[in-house]
Amino acid sequence: MKRTAIHQFKKGTLQFCGIKKVGVTCYIAPINKDSKETIRKTWLGKVEKLGHPNKYSHRFNNMEKCPWAVRHPLEEEYHDKEWGLPVHDDQTLFEFLTLEGAQAGLSWTTVLVKRENYRKALDGFDPEIIANYDQTKLDELLLNKGIIRNKLKVKSLVTNAKAFMEVQKEFGSFSNFIWQFVDGKPIQNAWEKMEDVPATTPVSDAMSKALKKKGFKFMGPTICYAFMQAVGMVNDHLTSCPRYEEVKEI
């Protein structure tokens, strides 16, 4: 059934209320003058619950989120609180490298569902600890149903952790190395439709080559671009998304 905005509801009918502006879905009884106010309060309450500053709440009246963000609650929360925010903390950057590599061939929802299991299994994504995992630990991970049990991906954890630490030694931090690909500041794109957003760019191609040269595994151009989007090296929120301006202003 077609989603409609509040002002389009037809009086006296049971409507599917998909307030697509913030991805909220609910069922309501026949419309009356009081129910619209109830919906409005519920809607704005959802906005605030998701962590949007009050000064931005009005934007949800005529803007809608990136379409991929309303498919699953975890994706919505991730979109609203993390995706596209510039990250310079090395351990967090390693976390996203690990998760993006784990995603290869799978959906991002699958990874988000398993994210906290990864955090627990991988000692908080600490590259120094992971670099010293022995075969016994790797075998243990392959039996862990809470993570993606692909042998090559699990083996790459140690390889990438060691490569990560080498980059830290060479550049002072991994952040110093990776952010040089965008001259130290986020690329501000202005996409209007999801189909306009690229899967790779010349920058992600160059990053992929550089990471592979330094020994990283599961770091193809597509994974690298997804990583860039995740850690805010590019702002790929659609211009119609409330987070576009929020992220741009950071």
Side-chain angles (χ1 to χ4, degrees), residues 126-135 137 158 161-162 165:
D126 188 327
E128 186 172 353
I129 296 176
I130 296 172
N132 290 298
Y133 282 175
D134 58 15
Q135 190 58 49
K137 175 63 176 180
V158 175
K162 290 179 178 179
M165 293 175 66

Side-chain angles (χ1 to χ4, degrees), residues 8 41 68 70 82 114 133 149 170 183 207 242 250:
Q8 295 173 317
K41 290 180 179 179
W68 65 264
V70 297
E82 294 183 79
K114 297 177 179 292
Y133 282 175
R149 296 179 295 172
E170 183 179 353
D183 297 325
M207 181 187 295
I250 294 174

